[in-house]
């Protein structure tokens, strides 16, 4: 078999993710970590350190996301400084959870997906504003409902399941309907990871976590700082403090 010339391989290399995309991927990693902890906590006699490697990996990846933001060399602003500070808090909490039992560790990363998405929103706006670029052209595949659903999925708010032959979704407000999820899946923007999320009730079967695909991450990153189409925005799209984290850290010591 003839090997292709080395020059042709250069065109097959995907561009590296932007810092905003990295933060959306990071949010997904935290969601997967939290789901794994939830399933672990419902298992019989789970090992106390089963989450340690994942938590350490998250701390390292969060630090890498911070370095990527610094690499953009954006002019300093209050918003950008607070975004980096919030990410440093996430890295600290993920690192601190390594030495805790699973239940205490779960508390420390509970709000991390929303926080990472919030940081992505701020960073996207600051990048555009600091570089004097116009708002991105709306993706023709994404209407307001789709954009809201992608943001909810990125925050780790959407799961799916089926019962008696009918599929359904579970999400926070604003609701993400099954018809919307199917539309996003058809467009290659979302997918389900079977039985990876905690059950809706004790003793119930695990649910399917709805996640963004790589294409979905890119699509959301391009419109994540767009003005809201309605009177309210999707939860988690505005950075906010992490409540009770100091208390949780204190209790765990």
């Amino acid at each position: 078999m003839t090997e292709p010339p080395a020059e042709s391989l250069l065109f097959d290399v995907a561009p590296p993710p932007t810092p905003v995309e990295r933060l959306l991927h990071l949010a997904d990693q935290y969601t997967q970590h939290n789901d794994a902890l939830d399933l672990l906590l419902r298992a019989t006699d789970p090992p106390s350190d089963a989450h340690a490697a994942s938590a350490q990996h998250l701390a390292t990846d969060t630090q890498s996301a911070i370095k990527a933001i610094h690499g953009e060399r954006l002019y300093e602003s209050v918003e950008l400084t607070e975004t980096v500070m919030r990410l440093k808090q996430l890295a600290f909490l993920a690192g601190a959870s390594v030495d805790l039992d699973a239940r205490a560790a779960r508390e420390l990363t509970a709000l991390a997906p929303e926080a990472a998405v919030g940081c992505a929103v701020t960073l996207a706006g600051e990048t555009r504003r600091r570089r004097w670029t116009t708002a991105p052209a709306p993706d023709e595949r994404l209407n307001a409902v789709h954009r809201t659903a992608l943001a909810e999925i990125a925050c780790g708010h959407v799961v799916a399941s089926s019962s008696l032959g009918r599929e359904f979704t579970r999400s926070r407000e604003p609701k993400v309907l099954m018809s919307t999820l199917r539309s996003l899946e058809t467009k290659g923007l979302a997918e389900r990871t079977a039985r990876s999320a905690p059950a809706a009730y004790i003793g119930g079967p695990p649910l399917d976590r709805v996640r963004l695909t790589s294409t979905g991450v890119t699509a959301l990153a391009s419109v994540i700082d767009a003005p809201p189409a309605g009177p309210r925005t999707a939860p988690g799209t505005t950075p906010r403090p992490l409540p009770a984290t100091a208390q949780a850290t204190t209790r765990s010591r």
Side-chain angles (χ1 to χ4, degrees), residues 60 98 226:
T60 300
V98 170

Side-chain angles (χ1 to χ4, degrees), residues 198-220:
Y201 54 90
I202 297 177
L207 303 178
D208 300 342
R209 171 61 61 193
V210 180
R211 302 169 55 199
L212 299 182
T213 63
S214 294
T215 303
V217 166
T218 300
L220 178 58

Side-chain angles (χ1 to χ4, degrees), residues 141 146 178-189:
R141 297 175 300 175
H146 291 152
M178 177 54 72
S179 58
T180 302
L181 173 57
R182 288 177 180 146
S183 176
L184 294 176
E185 289 176 326
T186 300
K187 298 174 188 295
L189 304 176

